[in-house]
């Protein structure tokens, strides 16, 4: 029997609040520190590992976190989710994104169909379509192959797929899997679409319109912008466009598209990278086999997320430590710092995933909670960030918990030896050094050169960014966010906070405003 | 006589702490709200205006902020800075980035030369060089024109110039000022350089090596990577490379470069967009005239920043309000949200500018301060952010002050009418709507759809992103950060917090580690 309780009603949370804090600088020092690095690690899928040695925890805190996981019924709640319960209470929906990559529990039937079968069908349809595009069977009006694919979508239809594309672009080039270049149009600012159209050959471009409802204003506007460009080039837009949408949307059966592939209401935009939303663009760019490997990595990590033992479940442990940092230690933000240029936009995707899911002030029953929930998430790849905002992370007045990601190998396999080491070695040396610099600091009589230390971080270490490890990494963070939502007792799967702005913007465009909004509208020449 | 005092020793700061707080939702309502929008605005250079109607201030708070500006001697300190005093106390250096774009005070002589003359000379040398590249007088080994320029630099040698390039790329294309495409290599991850080299034609590419000291490891490593690529293509690297560095660096007189242009120790990396660091790449990409306009906009805004009256000095007022939010209202972060795709990476630049400048725990004399300093800065362009992290901004448990930027016109002048409005109108309607949604919220019986409001924002409004407005915008933020550093009594111009990581990384590469660092190094295969 599952009960949904607020975090602050749990006995283990009270115990956690009172537990003795860890002196991180001390804990990470000397032989004790070395032992922590060896022992405080959780294996993940595809050879990844989550190392939490430099987090502000010890065996005592870990014991209490285990109790918290049990008392909050994290495993049972995840089980209920993948078995098809209505977990998205606000919108009264199932939450099925994990089902796009595997079957963790019982068959889930909704809208009269087996949903796993439905998602696999869409993948198969996309694979077939992508194959025909790659072979030239599906071609432009002149019978020439499409060379470029352009995703038109915003939010979850943009950030996740874009981050995944960028993560695999160079890997695919290196491994002979690069089929088509992908571009992305998202912003309603007309300069976004115009800028992208400036850099492509529209005659050889295939556009993917992505909108679950088929009513997203930004996306429809950009579609229209692109259609104008196609028509101006003497082309038939319906021969250059496909749609990814829900079966009930106006786009589903329109003759404006070469084909339509489906997602549904049980997959939130920010969780849709493994659905047709990511599937179409990634299968076209890299081939369906690469997309299948990506799903495989995600499925393997999902499976580990069902583990009851928090020391075997990296997503759950990551979630628990994050809640400890947020609610007990009082740190309001978290930085995501991948030491990999391929993961350039991965932090922007996690920013949406996390902040849109858990940036809530009411619990799943709509009652205000008396504790803080989702933290602010931001990040840039290392070593770039070191030359930017790390100054504040090291010596600022606030403590920001850090989430590093590092890989032993790069993707392109070209490197250069300078001062006795490769660039890849320098990259890895930097992330190792940063963890220790943040944890232990360094005393200096010149206070301007003094480092307090005590700044907690974790690191996920892997071999290389490739389709499988990327899938596992994505699933890790999706599941972490889900577990944190369970702990805070919020609904991580709706986003009512985006509605008011939409309503007011419509009012501005209809010139139905007064007061301050009217004056702002005038100042902006609307 | 200037005295440098800690913020919490100032009488006006004590008064500010005790002043009655403003109920923003109430203040922005009805006719009162309309009056605030009309009156709470400060004109900036190049037709920009800083509107702070939706900030948590009223006439009483503004009066105290004026006193604070006077008591903290903000104008006098800026005057000392531009007249050449040693403001960077940590490194014992002058701070002269404003001098790259104009002469605000007395001639500044250092190292035996008039520094304004020196900076102008470098601009002239760059302009002449760029002209020769554009005309083909300086060409590749085969006598063909260079078509692409690639900046190799990290941190301030990357983020600012990259953000400025992206901001003006489409404007330049529209206005016939687009001369050469620019690319950027920054990360020590070898996949960064390899990825960029994959997308360019090296035979027609000119590389700019940017490192003030000439010793930045990432940059030298990437230079070597690029030289290998040039040699492998049968090209002579010295015919494809220029340097931007200090006159005393090992790169200054090397025969490895076609030319070298100079900056100096009085310009911090994060303040170097208007120096040769930004000047070379922007003059090559868009022509020296465009770079000159960019400087003109920055100079005009600098001049306004010398105003004693805070209601005529947007940078100073923005700084004061930010300190009020950070130290009195207790908000730990600030989001920068430009409603312009052109300003895509502007937030990443401001993140460095702000967090590296003011993320300090000691004052300019090296004594620990008892108050919080620089906030966490992050942001993405609107409307994209609305479909991402705005959920937390609207309904999360923490309040995040917002800094909007909006423009009446787009750059490309192509648009589309959908549902009775253009994309540009939709873009502007959205930013206006967001300001009001954040400020006033909207009560709803369903608490999940309830918006508390009371979330403060400001907006800078302009006509269009172009070289002059971009220069003014950049100077605004540089000067805001400077004034905040004065208020917190920190040295905003050094970055000792980046040193420890460098030292430890070297130790890892030399295999001179033990304890936890040794184990991490092993895990990462170094």
């Amino acid at each position: 029997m599952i009960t949904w309780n607020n975090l602050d009603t749990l006995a283990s949370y009270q115990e956690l609040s009172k537990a003795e804090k860890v002196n991180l600088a001390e804990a990470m020092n000397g032989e004790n520190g070395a032992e922590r690095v060896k022992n405080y690690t959780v294996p993940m899928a595809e050879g990844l590992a989550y190392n939490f040695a430099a987090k502000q925890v010890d065996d005592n805190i870990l014991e209490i976190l285990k109790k918290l996981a049990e008392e909050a019924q994290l495993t049972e709640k995840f089980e209920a989710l993948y078995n098809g319960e209505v977990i998205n209470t606000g919108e009264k929906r199932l939450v099925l994104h994990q089902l796009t990559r595997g079957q963790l529990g019982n068959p889930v039937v909704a809208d009269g169909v087996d949903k796993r079968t439905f998602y696999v069908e869409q993948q198969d349809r996309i694979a077939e379509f992508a194959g025909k595009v790659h072979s030239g069977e599906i071609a432009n009006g002149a019978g020439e192959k499409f060379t470029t694919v352009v995703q038109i979508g915003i939010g979850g239809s943009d950030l996740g797929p874009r981050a995944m594309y960028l993560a695999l672009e160079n890997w695919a080039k290196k491994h002979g899997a690069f089929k088509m270049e992908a571009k992305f149009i998202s912003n309603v600012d007309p300069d976004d679409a115009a800028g992208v159209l400036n850099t492509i050959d529209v005659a050889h471009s295939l556009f993917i319109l992505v909108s679950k409802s088929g009513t997203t204003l930004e996306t429809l506007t950009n579609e229209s912008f692109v259609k104008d460009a196609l028509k101006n080039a003497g082309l038939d837009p319906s021969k250059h466009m496909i749609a990814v949408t829900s079966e009930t949307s106006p786009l589903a059966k329109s003759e404006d598209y070469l084909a339509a592939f489906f997602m549904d209401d049980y997959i939130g935009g920010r969780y849709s990278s493994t659905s047709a939303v990511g599937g179409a663009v990634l299968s076209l760019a890299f081939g369906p086999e690469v997309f299948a490997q990506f799903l495989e990595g995600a499925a393997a990590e999902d499976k580990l997320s069902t583990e009851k033992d928090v020391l075997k479940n990296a997503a759950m442990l990551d979630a628990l430590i994050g809640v400890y940092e947020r609610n007990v230690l009082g740190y309001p933000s978290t930085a995501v710092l991948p030491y990999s240029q391929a993961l350039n936009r991965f932090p922007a995707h996690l920013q949406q995933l996390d902040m849109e899911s858990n940036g809530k002030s009411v619990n799943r029953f709509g009652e205000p909670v008396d504790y803080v929930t989702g933290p602010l998430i931001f990040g840039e790849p290392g070593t770039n960030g070191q030359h930017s905002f790390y100054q504040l992370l090291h010596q600022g007045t606030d403590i920001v918990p850090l989430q590093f990601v590092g890989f032993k190998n790069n993707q392109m396999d070209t490197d250069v030896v300078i001062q006795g080491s490769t660039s890849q070695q320098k990259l890895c040396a930097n992330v190792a050094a940063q963890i220790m610099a943040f944890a232990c600091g360094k005393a200096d009589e010149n206070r301007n050169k003094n480092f307090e230390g005590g700044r907690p971080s974790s690191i996920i270490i892997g071999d290389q960014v490739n389709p499988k490890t990327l899938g596992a990494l994505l699933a890790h963070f999706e599941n972490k966010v889900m577990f944190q939502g369970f702990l805070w007792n919020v609904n991580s799967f709706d986003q009512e906070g985006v509605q008011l702005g939409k309503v007011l913007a419509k009012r501005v465009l209809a010139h139905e405003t007064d007061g301050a909004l009217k004056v702002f509208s005038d100042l902006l020449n609307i």
Side-chain angles (χ1 to χ4, degrees), chain A residues 291-322:
Chain A
F291 185 64
Q293 288 170 33
F294 172 63
L295 296 185
E296 204 181 303
E301 189 58 34
D302 284 341
K303 206 155 180 346
L304 291 178
S305 298
T306 66
E307 271 284 348
K308 263 191 171 315
D309 181 350
V310 301
L311 294 179
K312 293 180 179 166
N313 186 333
M316 192 185 284
L317 184 59
D318 197 354
L320 287 158
I321 293 174

Side-chain angles (χ1 to χ4, degrees), chain A residues 128-129 132-140 144-146 258:
Chain A
E128 195 191 334
F129 181 85
K132 286 180 182 171
V133 171
H134 298 152
S135 72
E137 190 179 333
I138 294 174
N140 74 2
E144 297 157 339
K145 277 194 189 182
F146 290 112
L258 275 171

Side-chain angles (χ1 to χ4, degrees), chain A residues 393-469:
Chain A
L393 302 182
H394 279 291
Q395 291 189 318
T397 48
D398 293 0
I399 288 182
V400 179
L402 312 169
Q403 178 109 45
F404 290 107
V405 184
F407 297 90
K408 295 173 205 168
N409 302 300
N410 56 68
Q411 293 185 316
M412 302 286 271
D413 210 20
T414 48
D415 209 333
V416 63
V417 175
I418 295 286
Q419 297 181 10
S421 58
T422 62
S423 289
Q424 180 62 35
Q425 286 171 322
K426 290 184 186 77
L427 182 68
C428 287
N430 271 282
V431 69
Q434 289 295 333
I435 294 172
M436 292 307 292
F438 281 117
C440 295
K442 187 170 174 294
D444 197 305
E445 278 186 24
N446 177 345
R447 294 281 314 185
N448 199 30
K449 297 177 191 286
N450 188 65
F451 291 77
E452 295 269 353
R455 296 174 184 233
S457 67
S458 64
I459 181 168
I460 291 174
I461 297 177
D463 263 352
Q464 189 190 45
V465 181
N466 60 40
K468 287 189 186 181
T469 55

